[in-house]
Amino acid sequence: MSATAPAQAEGPSSGDLASRNVQRRAVEAVIWGMSGVNYDLMRQEMLRKTDAKVNQFLFWGRPLDWHNQTLTPNPDTLYFMAFLDTREVGPLVLDIPPANGGSLNARGAEREPEPVAGRVKAIWPGARIRVVNDLSAAGYGFLRHAHDDACIVTVSSGIGHKVFLDGKPAIGPSGRGGEIGHLRVDFSEEAPLCECGARGHLGALACGRAVPEQAVRLARRDPGAFARSSLAAPVAGQARRVDSHLVARTFKAGDPWAMALVGVLAAPLGQALAGIHAAVGVERFVIMGGFAQALGPAYLALVGQAAAASTWDFGQVWGRMLELGEMGDDAGLIGAGRLAARE
Ligand SMILES: [Zn+2]
């Protein structure tokens, strides 16, 4: 038996690695600096050549031409542009609405994690930047004091949640907390598909997006009951065409079939909330989102009944533990503002 030591390949020395590292940092600094310099030049031009001031929105009424010497000109885009300065006005909250027929920084569509904080920092080197998820931001708005416990749940075209313990969102070391919408609650073969591609997740069964599928399933169980309901005529007898608006309207009018359908939608959510309560003991659930708002307090009562039926009776009163988040679409903005003021 013989042993030979393989010849060590000549690797880069630690000095080489250090100088490569420095060079890479320098290249990054130039790349990051470019957007900062570009942005500041645009700000200076705005102040010099237009009546606009910082903290106002500048609307470019015409597509730009060759006179515009920015680094990345888009000649077919009408821009809105704002140059923000927090020195005098204090903390600012940036809320980015869904694009409607336009686009907002095309990188957003690539679904890559966007280094938002780094980009803002390049523009405002002196500012303290905090990037907050929309539901966490809303949560800060609902906390009654800096150490409050609450679970914020959104029920709209999907389902999301955030548990706040001692005033902070509990999301775990990998940031996975807040995905109750992807908890599997229906294990049947024909369980509806979730947007993530899996079957039977809460988000596919219990929110506004789940309405047509659940309507079909309920109508199949008792076609006569659906045909007699006030929902059948507006959709010409096709349960698949039942949408969340029709359900909200007929549910509020007391239609028994609509109430049964909302019961089917509320049940898995109540079960999931009972799990959260049993796991961490949180006693305040703030339900927000368009679908929950449209259905109102009677919906909360059904969620509460389902929650009560899903766990041991520890003496909890679900009617008092569930509330509708009343801030609507502004909840994230208000919460982010409160967080900024608190920090
Ligand atoms: Zn899913």
Side-chain angles (χ1 to χ4, degrees):
M1 191 173 130
S2 70
T4 51
Q8 286 285 322
E10 279 292 310
S13 70
S14 65
D16 287 343
L17 287 174
S19 77
R20 249 188 246 176
N21 202 18
V22 169
Q23 193 195 7
R24 215 166 289 157
R25 286 276 167 79
V27 170
E28 275 170 26
V30 170
I31 293 171
W32 285 109
M34 241 160 45
S35 57
V37 170
N38 192 23
Y39 195 73
D40 191 60
L41 275 175
M42 288 194 278
R43 185 183 65 91
Q44 290 178 30
E45 288 291 280
M46 175 193 79
L47 295 172
R48 216 175 292 148
K49 295 185 177 163
T50 77
D51 294 331
K53 298 181 180 64
V54 293
N55 298 333
Q56 292 181 344
F57 272 86
L58 189 67
F59 173 55
W60 297 29
R62 289 196 307 266
L64 49 86
D65 57 22
W66 67 270
H67 289 97
N68 187 299
Q69 295 287 311
T70 49
L71 294 174
T72 55
N74 291 314
D76 53 354
T77 302
L78 295 180
Y79 284 94
F80 280 96
M81 193 175 270
F83 299 92
L84 307 173
D85 189 335
T86 59
R87 277 175 300 188
E88 285 181 12
V89 297
L92 284 174
V93 177
L94 296 183
D95 178 48
I96 302 176
N100 185 9
S103 73
L104 192 83
N105 185 353
R107 285 185 61 86
E110 294 169 20
R111 309 200 82 181
E112 285 175 7
E114 176 80 12
V116 179
R119 296 197 167 212
V120 180
K121 198 87 187 163
I123 298 161
W124 284 323
R128 282 189 301 138
I129 313 290
R130 174 81 181 267
V131 177
V132 196
N133 158 280
D134 55 351
L135 199 49
S136 295
Y140 285 109
F142 287 111
L143 296 184
R144 293 163 298 192
H145 54 83
H147 299 282
D148 206 4
D149 294 341
C151 178
I152 314 300
V153 184
T154 177
V155 186
S156 52
S157 59
I159 289 183
H161 87 292
K162 201 75 41 143
V163 173
F164 278 74
L165 298 175
D166 196 27
K168 293 189 190 70
I171 57 171
S174 304
R176 295 183 193 126
E179 298 295 349
I180 199 88
H182 298 284
L183 179 73
R184 185 157 192 189
V185 288
D186 181 342
F187 290 85
S188 65
E189 268 176 36
E190 75 286 355
L193 271 176
C194 180
E195 60 185 357
C196 72
R199 279 190 189 279
H201 288 185
L202 183 65
L205 277 109
C207 63
R209 182 161 46 85
V211 165
E213 193 96 27
Q214 296 286 35
V216 168
R217 292 171 114 191
L218 186 63
R220 207 176 284 150
R221 249 182 271 158
D222 186 352
F226 174 60
R228 286 189 299 276
S229 78
S230 65
L231 291 85
V235 296
Q238 291 178 280
R240 179 151 293 284
R241 287 175 52 201
V242 172
D243 65 13
S244 49
H245 299 284
L246 179 61
V247 172
R249 185 158 53 80
T250 50
F251 176 69
K252 284 188 159 167
D255 181 281
W257 196 84
M259 288 164 79
L261 178 59
V262 173
V264 166
L265 292 155
L269 179 62
Q271 191 187 340
L273 299 189
I276 293 171
H277 174 63
V280 294
V282 63
E283 293 183 9
R284 182 171 170 237
F285 292 82
V286 180
I287 317 291
M288 48 184 281
F291 189 56
Q293 296 286 345
L295 296 171
Y299 165 69
L300 279 200
L302 291 172
V303 174
Q305 280 172 23
S310 301
T311 183
W312 187 31
D313 181 0
F314 309 106
Q316 68 276 52
V317 182
W318 282 94
R320 262 186 258 144
M321 284 163 44
L322 295 170
E323 62 186 82
L324 281 173
E326 298 292 358
M327 282 188 270
D329 291 343
D330 289 338
L333 279 176
I334 294 166
R338 286 193 184 152
L339 176 65
R342 192 170 113 182
E343 292 185 342

